Amino acid sequence: MSPSYDVIVLGLGGMGSAAAHHLAARGARVLGLEKFGPVHQRGSSHGGSRITRQSYFEDPAYVPLLLRSYELYDRLERDTGRTVATLCGGVMLGRPDSRTVAGSLLSARTWDLPHEMLDAEEIRRRFPTLTPAADEVALYEARAGLVRPENTVAAQLQLATRGGAELRFQEPVTRWETLPGGRGVRVHTPEDTYTAGQLVICPGAWAPGLLADLGVPFTIERQVMYWFAPDGGTAPYTPARHPVYIWEDAAGVQIYGFPAIDGPGGGAKVAFFRKGTVCTPETIERTVHDDEVRAMADQVGRLLPGLPGRFLKAATCMYSNTPDEHFVITRHPAHPDAVTVACGFSGHGFKFVPVVGEILADLALTGETGHPIELFDPGRLTAAPAPAHGGAR
């Protein structure tokens, strides 16, 4: 049997790589296990970009975690020399009473975040690529922007290894159990059996199987990301001229998008939010069909007439949704002395990756954290509240 570790981290995507990094930085003996290769494309931590923002319409309770996450992203760049964040500004657009606008404004006012409110005329003047309707407004946040998921995961794996973590890829976990008398955990893979004092589980879309005893009714959704070459070239869509954006139309349909960050041939990325189909990691349809591309082009063309241009490519990822679309970050209720879980990020988790890693290290090593995570207690889901639709990445 392999030697015992202080902590085993199950899953080395966004959250798991962050946990491995923060645990190793504190001197813990860490084993990280991942069923795929490093920085893989099979889960939810890929696609070139994710929106980051502080005026958080999902709930003002997220804002303190976002502020810390911004600090940790800066540190990650300094410590690795990798580019992981670009703050190009962002607009949250829609009718004034839409959740996208009203919720963003509530968070901005609650936490005194710098922001501006723009009417439709001012939106068009500042950002000529955008053509909102006359009755639409936007909250503009200069500190919004994008993070690069692949670079982030690679940077965190780099620092975890530098800190002494042992990371094993292409080694799926088949089962795990706690040891009698609170003496830790045992984790089984096809290659070996490992023991540790603590287990941190960051399963992504594999949560329904690995955490069935958590009692959370996860729903896994297939989502599609699209890249289009704008009419007339990408110059008006570069980060210096074009913000990240989230637009909610009068029917409540949301799309989100990015500047062109990968040069003239890379195009600009756009996607729907909450228009996915239920799947599992084993049954997800990876092929993106022509009717899906047309629907995306039609919708984004209403706000950015020059963007649909020419379709370049598409890719799928998965959301792991909870019923209320808030996260689950906790000591496992059935194994509170040995197991910590982070899951159910419901399509809006990646911007929190660094601070979630810090929280998981706190919980695994001390059993508590100073960060506000009360909202993420799975006990809230006992009554199975109705989904709170909305949000974007």
Side-chain angles (χ1 to χ4, degrees):
M1 182 179 295
S2 294
S4 180
Y5 299 86
D6 294 325
V7 186
I8 296 174
V9 178
L10 194 166
L12 293 172
M15 304 304 174
S17 63
H21 156 42
H22 282 279
L23 286 160
R26 299 186 194 186
R29 293 171 298 160
V30 178
L31 172 65
L33 296 171
E34 168 59 54
K35 71 182 299 179
F36 300 111
V39 198
H40 64 83
Q41 308 286 308
R42 308 301 294 175
S44 304
S45 297
H46 62 281
S49 56
R50 294 289 188 274
I51 287 179
T52 189
R53 53 194 164 89
Q54 296 179 354
S55 301
Y56 214 62
F57 56 75
E58 286 83 349
D59 196 303
Y62 285 90
V63 174
L65 298 176
L66 286 162
L67 298 178
R68 178 57 176 163
S69 194
Y70 270 56
E71 295 173 350
L72 293 173
Y73 268 120
D74 286 344
R75 183 187 298 176
L76 192 61
E77 289 192 331
R78 292 195 305 269
D79 290 347
T80 64
R82 296 176 184 265
T83 299
V84 296
T86 300
L87 301 185
C88 56
V91 287
M92 276 55 80
L93 302 107
R95 292 181 173 178
D97 60 350
S98 67
R99 187 183 183 211
T100 301
V101 174
S104 298
L105 184 57
L106 174 62
S107 280
R109 288 176 171 171
T110 299
W111 293 99
D112 196 25
L113 301 173
H115 68 283
E116 299 176 66
M117 294 303 300
L118 311 178
D119 62 19
E121 182 179 354
E122 181 65 8
I123 296 167
R124 295 189 202 102
R125 187 188 71 79
R126 289 205 200 181
F127 309 111
T129 52
L130 303 176
T131 59
D135 63 346
E136 293 179 329
V137 300
L139 181 144
Y140 173 71
E141 179 187 319
R143 293 279 291 165
L146 60 95
V147 294
R148 291 181 173 267
E150 291 92 343
N151 284 8
T152 299
V153 174
Q156 292 175 157
L157 294 176
Q158 175 185 336
L159 293 180
T161 301
R162 185 187 300 175
E166 179 184 343
L167 307 180
R168 300 177 67 91
F169 297 96
Q170 306 292 344
E171 188 166 346
V173 170
T174 55
R175 62 187 176 92
W176 61 270
E177 68 262 359
T178 54
L179 298 174
R183 294 186 293 111
V185 296
R186 183 182 293 116
V187 175
H188 304 268
T189 78
E191 306 299 324
D192 210 336
T193 298
Y194 307 95
T195 59
Q198 295 288 321
L199 176 64
V200 173
I201 305 178
C202 302
W206 287 262
L210 285 169
L211 292 173
D213 62 342
L214 193 61
V216 175
F218 299 106
T219 300
I220 309 305
E221 273 188 7
R222 170 186 179 268
Q223 301 289 339
V224 182
M225 304 169 281
Y226 305 82
W227 285 259
F228 292 93
D231 291 334
T234 58
Y237 296 85
T238 59
R241 301 173 63 182
H242 185 70
V244 298
Y245 57 91
I246 301 165
W247 175 49
E248 180 177 341
D249 71 9
V253 176
Q254 290 175 303
I255 64 171
Y256 63 98
F258 302 81
I261 59 174
D262 294 318
K269 175 184 164 185
V270 297
F272 283 107
F273 184 67
R274 300 293 173 211
K275 285 198 70 173
T277 55
V278 175
C279 69
T280 71
E282 294 73 34
T283 64
I284 181 173
E285 170 64 85
R286 296 287 181 181
T287 300
V288 178
H289 301 282
D290 290 346
D291 60 332
E292 296 179 289
V293 176
R294 285 193 297 270
M296 184 76 259
D298 289 345
Q299 186 73 6
V300 74
R302 294 169 54 199
L303 180 66
L304 297 95
L307 180 57
R310 179 169 54 90
F311 171 67
L312 296 175
K313 64 178 181 177
T316 58
C317 68
M318 289 177 283
Y319 288 0
S320 305
N321 298 324
T322 63
D324 61 5
E325 296 167 9
H326 294 309
F327 309 158
V328 172
I329 305 175
T330 186
R331 297 287 276 179
H332 196 305
H335 314 282
D337 295 328
V339 182
T340 301
V341 300
C343 52
F345 288 94
S346 302
H348 62 113
F350 201 90
K351 60 185 72 63
F352 297 90
V353 155
V355 71
V356 170
E358 191 170 64
I359 291 167
L360 294 176
D362 290 343
L363 294 176
L365 297 179
T366 72
E368 58 186 12
T369 182
H371 290 295
I373 62 169
E374 294 80 10
L375 180 61
F376 311 139
D377 185 336
R380 73 185 191 277
L381 298 172
T382 303
H389 290 294
R393 312 307 147 235

